[in-house]
Amino acid sequence: MTTQPTRRAVLALGAALVVTPVVTVSAHAAGSPVRPVAGLRGAFTAASKRYGVPRDLLVALSYTVTRINDHAGEPSAAGGYGVMHLISNPSTNTLATAARLSGHSAAALRTDVSANIDGAAALLRSLADDAGLSAADRDDVDAWYEPVAHYSAFADASVSRLEADAVYQALARGLSLQAGGESFAVEARTVRPQLGAFADVPTIQQRFEAMTDDYPPARWVAAHSSNYRVANRPNDYRIDRVVIHTVQGSYTSCISWFQNPSANVSAHYVLRSSDGQVTQMVRNKDVAWHVGNTNNRSIGLEHEGWVTDPAWYTEAMYRSSAALTRHVCDRYGIPLDRTHIIAHSEAPGATHTDPGPHWDWARYMDYVRGGNGGEPSWSVIVDNTGAFTASSNWVTASAPGQYGSNHRHAQPVLSSDVAWFSANIPAAGSYRVEVWYPQDPANNSRTPYIVAASGGNQTVYVDQRSSGGRWVLIGTFSLAAGSRQVVGVSRWTSAAGSIEADAVRISSTS
């Protein structure tokens, strides 16, 4: 990630502009000094007891924001410190708030692991008090959703939900990992988070609107207008580079930082480590500020994680990123080679090292090119003549560019009438979902595809007026094992034009 000007300069210039979240200073914050704690596990346990914050919640939050790694005291791109990612940047200062609540100095919170965890617990407890949690509530992990969502003080409430959801997903999955030379375990559990003040806040998925047809699988969260330049590429600048970055931070902190008017930095896309989820923040036609002199000619991809920690570079992220890069290269005629698909560190004049030595370029380029090494272990194509169910409103038709001998189509209506493609998913895991439809300018510009993911149905909107007659990736999803309806095409859209249900391809990511 590159800033314009440098990140350190921005932080220095904006030091007087910090805004702290509204929290209550409670009596527990002014208690006896924290005793030195040896080791991470002891620090989590001590902070949990001191402030009445569930220990597993603290661990899951730390895992979500840093993978329980303080990265040798170096701040994240958004100015977050320590294993709990306490933030100090021109617009947010949860670190200062934690210092005030816990009695630790800001320097200690930045450099001492025990103090960092203790300060985070003090902040969470204060936020819990603000939310009205009683002593009984504090014993229930599910009651902490609202304090967790407020923890990072993101300006966009939907991004706050994104981070809180990730914490509760970690609690639901359970954790077993090594960090700081110690073993951590959080038992999997059923979670039913109480959303509190966030009950009426839409998730990123619910809020998502297809602002462009750049990449239909991506969610759209716009970067602040001061962090990129409006352009008309490729008419004014040729696009001939894809630049691979590592965030030096978490997915949500990166999204929030690009929304921050003080950042002076952005990238076109941000990718999540756990499942490869993609958020687009700058349109392809516009110039994101991510790589200095190469900005005008490039598309920037930021990947959640730190260059020193290979655990962030997951199979799901590699495959999702490779699919996005291939899509960009196909669209703009960019050669699929290492001259045109480059690391941030390889750009002229670069001073950054990302994505670093742990990024597996051979594996990534194999996936981008679709070589044998990039073939999935399991894949199935479901045509509309196969395991397909639809009402009589879905008429059989023929058109150039369709998959197989025919396809189905219907007209939009503001009610539920879904055509479903069924498949027998061999094992629970991460799967790529691609769709095929005949291209026609009279098709619908906002066709809803529904994927029956393990966490609930997810909807992706596709402009069927373009990109037809080939496989179009709509995303990577967690699917449960078993035979059932997996991908649907819905008629519920306010956009005009024929809705096409032709074929789907579902492929494992391993």
Side-chain angles (χ1 to χ4, degrees), residues 411-442:
Q411 294 304 307
V413 61
L414 295 180
S415 62
S416 181
D417 183 13
V418 181
W420 283 101
F421 296 87
S422 298
N424 187 7
I425 305 301
S430 179
Y431 292 83
R432 288 160 45 89
V433 175
E434 298 164 285
V435 300
W436 188 297
Y437 50 86
Q439 181 171 313
D440 191 304

Side-chain angles (χ1 to χ4, degrees), residues 22 49 75 162 195 219 255 275 293 337 354-355 363 376 425 469:
V22 178
K49 290 180 179 179
L162 194 62
L195 303 186
R219 282 74 172 154
I255 293 171
D275 58 3
N293 293 335
D337 59 39
D354 57 313
R363 174 185 183 187
I425 305 301

Side-chain angles (χ1 to χ4, degrees), residues 53-62 124 141 144 148 167-168 171:
V53 181
R55 176 262 186 190
D56 285 0
L57 185 77
L58 281 172
V59 173
L61 175 58
S62 178
L124 278 170
V141 167
W144 285 83
V148 170
V167 172
Y168 279 86
L171 289 167

Side-chain angles (χ1 to χ4, degrees), residues 37 51 65 72 81 116 176 178 205 252 258-259 279 293 307 312 317 338 361 396 447 453 467 492 497:
V37 179
Y51 296 102
V65 295
Y81 290 87
N116 186 264
S176 179
Q178 292 281 330
Q205 177 66 17
T252 47
F258 289 169
Q259 292 178 300
T279 291
N293 293 335
V307 297
W312 292 87
M317 176 186 277
R338 288 283 283 111
W361 277 107
T396 301
T447 297
S467 302
W492 198 323

Side-chain angles (χ1 to χ4, degrees), residues 437 440 443-444 447 449 462-466 498-500:
Y437 50 86
D440 191 304
N443 283 349
N444 196 279
T447 297
Y449 281 89
V462 175
D463 184 351
Q464 290 190 331
R465 299 171 303 176
S466 61
S498 179
I499 298 171
E500 310 294 331

Side-chain angles (χ1 to χ4, degrees), residues 354-495:
D354 57 313
H358 299 298
W359 183 264
D360 190 339
W361 277 107
R363 174 185 183 187
Y364 186 70
M365 293 303 297
D366 194 40
Y367 290 173
V368 169
R369 296 183 182 115
N372 291 336
E375 290 300 315
S377 60
W378 178 89
S379 184
V380 65
I381 294 174
V382 186
D383 193 9
N384 72 94
T385 58
F388 177 84
T389 55
S391 73
S392 59
N393 295 315
W394 293 87
V395 178
T396 301
S398 295
Q402 67 191 8
Y403 187 92
S405 59
N406 56 43
H407 68 280
R408 307 289 185 95
H409 64 197
Q411 294 304 307
V413 61
L414 295 180
S415 62
S416 181
D417 183 13
V418 181
W420 283 101
F421 296 87
S422 298
N424 187 7
I425 305 301
S430 179
Y431 292 83
R432 288 160 45 89
V433 175
E434 298 164 285
V435 300
W436 188 297
Y437 50 86
Q439 181 171 313
D440 191 304
N443 283 349
N444 196 279
S445 63
R446 198 166 185 268
T447 297
Y449 281 89
I450 301 171
V451 180
S454 55
N457 287 352
Q458 297 186 33
T459 303
V460 176
Y461 295 93
V462 175
D463 184 351
Q464 290 190 331
R465 299 171 303 176
S466 61
S467 302
R470 62 181 179 86
W471 291 114
V472 174
L473 178 70
I474 65 168
T476 302
F477 304 88
S478 294
L479 302 180
S483 181
R484 66 187 186 287
Q485 295 173 333
V486 180
V487 182
V489 188
S490 174
R491 298 173 62 202
W492 198 323
T493 176
S494 57

Side-chain angles (χ1 to χ4, degrees), residues 19-271:
V19 178
T20 58
V22 178
V23 294
T24 302
V25 180
S26 304
H28 65 269
S32 59
V34 180
R35 298 175 186 173
V37 179
L40 278 168
R41 285 193 303 184
F44 281 115
T45 300
S48 171
K49 290 180 179 179
R50 180 174 169 83
Y51 296 102
V53 181
R55 176 262 186 190
D56 285 0
L57 185 77
L58 281 172
V59 173
L61 175 58
S62 178
Y63 175 82
T64 298
V65 295
T66 69
R67 295 297 191 269
I68 318 181
N69 190 327
D70 72 350
H71 304 100
E74 286 296 315
S76 72
Y81 290 87
V83 297
M84 300 305 298
H85 201 252
L86 292 171
I87 299 170
S88 177
N89 70 41
S91 298
T92 304
N93 204 333
T94 61
L95 187 140
T97 306
R100 174 166 55 85
L101 293 168
S102 67
H104 297 295
S105 68
L109 292 175
R110 287 193 293 265
T111 59
D112 182 85
V113 171
S114 296
N116 186 264
I117 295 170
D118 191 79
L123 175 58
L124 278 170
R125 173 59 189 272
S126 186
L127 292 168
D129 290 347
D130 287 348
L133 269 63
S134 66
D137 292 331
R138 294 197 300 272
D139 289 334
D140 181 2
V141 167
D142 289 336
W144 285 83
Y145 185 95
E146 184 178 333
V148 170
H150 280 304
Y151 174 80
S152 292
F154 294 143
D156 187 328
S158 292
V159 179
S160 299
R161 280 208 61 176
L162 194 62
E163 181 163 281
D165 288 344
V167 172
Y168 279 86
Q169 287 164 8
L171 289 167
R173 290 193 309 267
L175 297 171
S176 179
L177 71 155
Q178 292 281 330
E182 299 179 76
S183 298
F184 285 81
V186 173
E187 290 189 8
R189 70 194 71 198
T190 299
V191 296
R192 297 183 177 87
Q194 300 165 22
L195 303 186
F198 286 82
D200 296 326
V201 173
T203 64
I204 292 293
Q205 177 66 17
Q206 292 166 337
R207 199 181 72 180
F208 170 67
E209 296 289 338
M211 301 295 289
T212 74
D213 66 348
D214 285 342
Y215 193 59
R219 282 74 172 154
W220 171 261
V221 179
H224 194 275
S225 58
S226 65
N227 293 334
Y228 67 92
R229 187 174 77 255
V230 174
N232 189 29
R233 302 188 307 171
N235 293 331
D236 46 7
Y237 301 103
R238 181 185 177 190
I239 300 173
D240 64 0
R241 294 289 187 277
V242 175
V243 182
I244 304 301
H245 300 266
T246 297
V247 169
Q248 293 298 93
S250 71
Y251 181 65
T252 47
S253 68
C254 182
I255 293 171
S256 181
W257 185 236
F258 289 169
Q259 292 178 300
N260 190 320
S262 302
N264 289 292
V265 64
S266 64
H268 295 90
Y269 299 92
V270 185
L271 291 97

Side-chain angles (χ1 to χ4, degrees), residues 326-341:
R326 179 60 182 261
H327 178 86
V328 170
C329 290
D330 287 348
R331 180 165 188 168
Y332 298 107
I334 302 172
L336 304 178
D337 59 39
R338 288 283 283 111
T339 300
H340 297 85
I341 302 170

